[in-house]
Amino acid sequence: CRSFRWHFTIQQRCGFKKATRKPESKRVVPEEPGPPHTESSEAAIQRRTPAPQWDQQAPSGPPRAFGRLFRPLVFTVGFTGCAFGSAAIWQYESLKSRVQSYFDEIRADWLEKLQPQKRGDVRKEVNQWWNNLSDGQKTVTGIIAANAIVFCCWRVPSLQRSMIRYFTSNPTSKTLCSPMLLSTFSHFSFFHLAANMYVLWSFSSSAVSMLGREQFMAVYLSAGVISTFVSYVSKMATGRFGPSLGASGAIMAILAAVCTKMPEAKLAIIFLPMFTFTAANALKAIVAMDTAGLVLGWKFFDHAAHLGGAMFGIWYVLFGHELIWKNREPFVKIWHNFRTRGGPGRGGDQGGAM
């Protein structure tokens, strides 16, 4: 796996406050007349875009109130089921529209030959670049774009409070469920964002060719929520509270799935391409390091989220694909019956169930 990216905690990366301090009384001192004070441009920019501040909170009630995890558990199970159900419907609709898309492409090629070619057409160049991408790279382009948008939102001072509340996961926060998904698309550090997206881009082609784009999206989104839930449980059990963010848990699931399915594949680190190793050894090293970090209490990464994502990816390749994806046919038939009965003129449409 080339250039692994990790799930940083905001507490470590952004210098949040550990505890609130009582405001000191201020004395009003009359200002003496003098020349107007001019502020440097760098100081002005730093003042207008401060780093987000976070006051560490203790969970309400007992320090380790596992009852707070009931709603996140229900959300994790429900979201995972909805993700795979939506993926099955997506695949059904894609297969039904494949024939129509084929004829549309033939018509588009015919019209393109009739129309005069434009030199320097930006749209044509973009389409050519898009068509040269693999299915996996096309699939993750939307994920990368969403992460980039959220990264830009962190730079808006007026959004800081909302970003901390909804785009960082913390079991002591008042908002528990929605951040389990939204924090998967959240990065405060540019290096964190770049490293994560590079690894996702690198493994996208192999993962999508192995799972298909619909199943890939279901695994990716479910892994993001599941890894956050594992992080919640770990923080409650150890008492090491603090906000976390990043796509590491979801990407770890994809990485682990590919390495489990293709253990003999050769991988290399981007900065050391001369050293290669098998995917199986890379996965063992990552799991061992995160296990050590979790046991020893290393705080720079959210090691519990890494392990949760990796374990889900391994489980899904070994057992989950057979248990979930290959048993989707009854659900797809229900959707097929609903589609054929709903809407005018669909009574005779009986094809395309799978």
Side-chain angles (χ1 to χ4, degrees):
C1 41
R2 314 172 202 130
S3 172
F4 303 117
R5 58 87 201 95
W6 308 103
H7 187 98
F8 293 105
T9 58
I10 294 186
Q11 181 184 5
Q12 298 296 324
R13 297 292 299 173
C14 306
F16 294 114
K17 298 183 296 183
K18 292 186 177 180
T20 57
R21 298 176 59 183
K22 296 183 179 179
E24 299 177 358
S25 59
K26 298 181 180 179
R27 293 182 299 175
V28 179
V29 180
E31 297 182 357
E32 297 181 0
H37 175 69
T38 58
E39 188 179 35
S40 65
S41 59
E42 294 182 359
I45 294 174
Q46 185 176 4
R47 178 177 57 83
R48 286 193 295 266
T49 57
Q53 298 293 320
W54 180 273
D55 294 332
Q56 291 288 355
Q57 301 175 359
S60 57
R64 301 178 184 180
F66 286 94
R68 288 178 56 83
L69 299 179
F70 177 75
R71 287 174 56 196
L73 175 62
V74 174
F75 177 80
T76 301
V77 176
F79 180 85
T80 301
C82 291
F84 281 96
S86 300
I89 294 174
W90 181 13
Q91 186 185 63
Y92 167 86
E93 296 295 339
S94 298
L95 292 176
K96 284 198 66 175
S97 63
R98 182 170 297 176
V99 175
Q100 183 62 38
S101 298
Y102 174 76
F103 288 109
D104 290 342
E105 290 177 0
I106 294 179
R107 180 174 177 271
D109 293 339
W110 180 71
L111 291 176
E112 185 177 358
K113 292 179 180 179
L114 294 179
Q115 295 176 353
Q117 298 291 332
K118 296 182 180 179
R119 295 183 178 180
D121 191 350
V122 177
R123 183 177 180 181
K124 182 180 178 180
E125 293 179 0
V126 172
N127 290 335
Q128 184 177 2
W129 169 81
W130 178 259
N131 293 330
N132 290 332
L133 297 179
S134 65
D135 291 339
Q137 292 171 338
K138 292 179 181 178
T139 303
V140 302
T141 299
I143 298 176
I144 295 175
N147 280 269
I149 292 173
V150 175
F151 173 77
C152 294
C153 290
W154 275 108
R155 268 62 211 161
V156 181
S158 60
L159 298 178
Q160 293 291 303
R161 188 178 298 272
S162 298
M163 296 298 294
I164 292 174
R165 180 174 183 178
Y166 295 105
F167 287 86
T168 64
S169 59
N170 190 349
T172 65
S173 174
K174 295 180 180 179
T175 307
L176 291 175
C177 295
S178 57
M180 298 178 71
L181 175 63
L182 297 179
S183 63
T184 305
F185 297 87
S186 180
H187 301 81
F188 184 82
S189 166
F190 177 78
F191 174 79
H192 188 196
L193 171 68
N196 280 0
M197 296 304 101
Y198 174 80
V199 176
L200 178 61
W201 183 269
S202 301
F203 282 87
S204 60
S205 298
S206 299
V208 172
S209 63
M210 180 178 70
L211 300 172
R213 59 177 181 173
E214 300 87 0
Q215 191 179 184
F216 169 86
M217 289 299 301
V219 172
Y220 182 86
L221 296 176
S222 299
V225 174
I226 291 173
S227 62
T228 304
F229 179 76
V230 175
S231 176
Y232 279 1
V233 174
S234 174
K235 291 176 181 178
M236 281 292 186
T238 60
R240 302 166 187 160
F241 301 108
S244 300
L245 79 172
S248 301
I251 299 177
M252 279 294 296
I254 300 301
L255 185 151
V258 173
C259 292
T260 303
K261 189 70 174 180
M262 298 179 288
E264 299 302 324
K266 294 295 182 180
L267 304 177
I269 301 176
I270 182 174
F271 300 111
L272 299 172
M274 69 289 299
F275 298 104
T276 60
F277 41 85
T278 63
N281 290 334
L283 181 59
K284 292 175 184 177
I286 294 173
V287 171
M289 188 186 69
D290 282 319
T291 302
L294 181 62
V295 173
L296 299 177
W298 298 346
K299 297 181 179 180
F300 196 61
F301 304 133
D302 193 338
H303 298 282
H306 289 178
L307 289 174
M311 293 301 104
F312 175 71
I314 295 172
W315 174 85
Y316 188 82
V317 169
L318 297 179
F319 309 104
H321 179 75
E322 296 285 339
L323 295 175
I324 300 176
W325 194 249
K326 287 194 174 181
N327 290 323
R328 71 191 186 282
E329 183 176 355
F331 177 77
V332 174
K333 286 184 176 179
I334 294 175
W335 176 256
H336 172 71
N337 294 333
F338 171 78
R339 291 278 278 108
T340 53
R341 295 172 185 174
R346 290 182 178 172
D349 183 9
Q350 298 296 327
M354 291 297 294

